[in-house]
Amino acid sequence: SDVLVLSALEKRYNRGKPNEIVVLQNLSLRIPKGQVTALVAPSGAGKSTLLHIAGLLDTPDSGTVELEGTDLSGARDGVRTAARREKLGFVYQFHHLLPEFSATENIVLPQLANGVARKAAEARAADLLGRVGLTSRAAHRPSALSGGEQQRVAFCRALANGPSLLLADEPTGNLDPTTSDTVFDVLMELVRETGLSALIATHNLALAAKMDRVLRLDAGGLTEE
Ligand code: ADP
Ligand code: ADP
């Protein structure tokens, strides 16, 4: 079965104006359960637009966005927000951790917001931090962690509520090449161990090659490599 099905998406900006631009046109994409898909795109091709639509942060002009069989493209904001919180995990180029909280608290807080009891949330945070090799850094604030460690905590936070799909935009793009490779391998291990499905945008073709499938986005269309 498919976790995410995007069908015939169209997205324009400045609709009806002289500077109207068609970013996505008749774009379709399926992510089967457990599959890790790489998204490679030149700058300006619409990668952010596509990730925002898949992440229920933006809506297409037409087409559908099905998450685990439910079309959410036209759903109310509250429904989309709930689905985003329960079913999606996000990782960006920058970690966006809360600076005044420890690594553990950064992973606990989204679970509390999702109704998980504190004890259970702390146990899950400890388990996730252990999986990425950061048990000894659990009590540190982000400023006391290296870039690679910060990003590993961000991966744990993205998985905190057990999402069905991970959406990542250049998850190691802010790290030096050696750290990037190591931290990316940690992410892939975490994704594989948890059986997570993922759509991971990257400019790094060597990293893309480690995924199950590579899709290239350009001029509004997707092609498989
Ligand atoms: P990418 O992430 O691949 O660089 P984006 O999805 O950010 O591409 O943008 C695709 C195109 O749409 C670019 O030409 C960009 O300038 C344009 N664009 C993005 N967001 C907006 C917006 N809010 N209003 C107008 N044009 C936009
Ligand atoms: P990058 O690190 O790739 O430059 P960011 O991490 O700043 O990008 O975020 C990517 C985009 O997703 C931004 O446009 C940001 O506003 C948006 N975004 C991230 N998280 C949320 C959220 N929880 N709700 C709404 N928009 C979000």
Side-chain angles (χ1 to χ4, degrees):
S1 63
D2 296 317
V3 173
L4 177 73
V5 181
L6 305 178
S7 301
L9 290 186
E10 182 171 303
K11 182 70 178 180
R12 299 164 187 250
Y13 291 112
N14 308 315
R15 204 180 181 86
K17 299 189 184 137
N19 58 347
E20 175 170 300
I21 159 175
V22 182
V23 180
L24 307 176
Q25 196 161 34
N26 196 25
L27 183 147
S28 298
L29 165 67
R30 281 172 183 276
I31 302 203
K33 207 167 162 37
Q35 189 186 71
V36 181
T37 297
L39 179 65
V40 178
S43 187
K47 177 194 73 175
S48 304
T49 301
L50 177 56
L51 286 173
H52 284 169
I53 291 173
L56 307 175
L57 298 166
D58 196 0
T59 50
D61 295 322
S62 59
T64 56
V65 179
E66 281 175 53
L67 201 52
E68 296 189 312
T70 306
D71 177 18
L72 293 162
S73 54
R76 294 193 347 262
D77 280 355
V79 173
R80 294 161 58 83
T81 302
R84 193 185 312 139
R85 191 179 287 162
E86 286 160 21
K87 299 193 167 173
L88 299 175
F90 294 94
V91 181
Y92 303 104
Q93 188 167 359
F94 299 99
H95 58 76
H96 298 298
L97 296 170
L98 298 171
E100 67 274 34
F101 290 99
S102 68
T104 295
E105 281 299 297
N106 268 281
I107 303 163
V108 164
L109 290 171
Q111 298 180 74
L112 299 184
N114 214 26
V116 178
R118 173 163 278 279
K119 271 256 180 318
E122 286 175 350
R124 176 147 180 91
D127 174 61
L128 286 166
L129 285 169
R131 288 172 186 272
V132 301
L134 289 183
T135 299
S136 66
R137 296 282 184 275
H140 290 61
R141 290 183 183 194
S143 60
L145 302 173
S146 71
E149 289 172 341
Q150 290 167 348
Q151 211 52 358
R152 282 188 269 163
V153 176
F155 300 162
C156 296
R157 180 191 49 189
L159 270 65
N161 285 320
S164 313
L165 177 68
L166 177 73
L167 295 169
D169 192 356
E170 296 285 350
T172 62
N174 196 36
L175 305 171
D176 67 73
T178 311
T179 309
S180 172
D181 285 357
T182 314
V183 169
F184 185 83
D185 287 344
V186 170
L187 176 63
M188 285 300 283
E189 238 180 87
L190 194 58
V191 165
R192 298 298 190 194
E193 279 175 17
T194 53
L196 198 57
S197 318
L199 179 61
I200 303 179
T202 180
H203 286 118
N204 186 325
L205 297 179
L207 298 187
K210 296 182 181 187
M211 301 185 218
D212 298 321
R213 181 167 63 142
V214 180
L215 296 177
R216 180 173 296 276
L217 176 69
D218 41 33
L222 276 179
T223 45
E224 184 145 3
E225 304 245 299

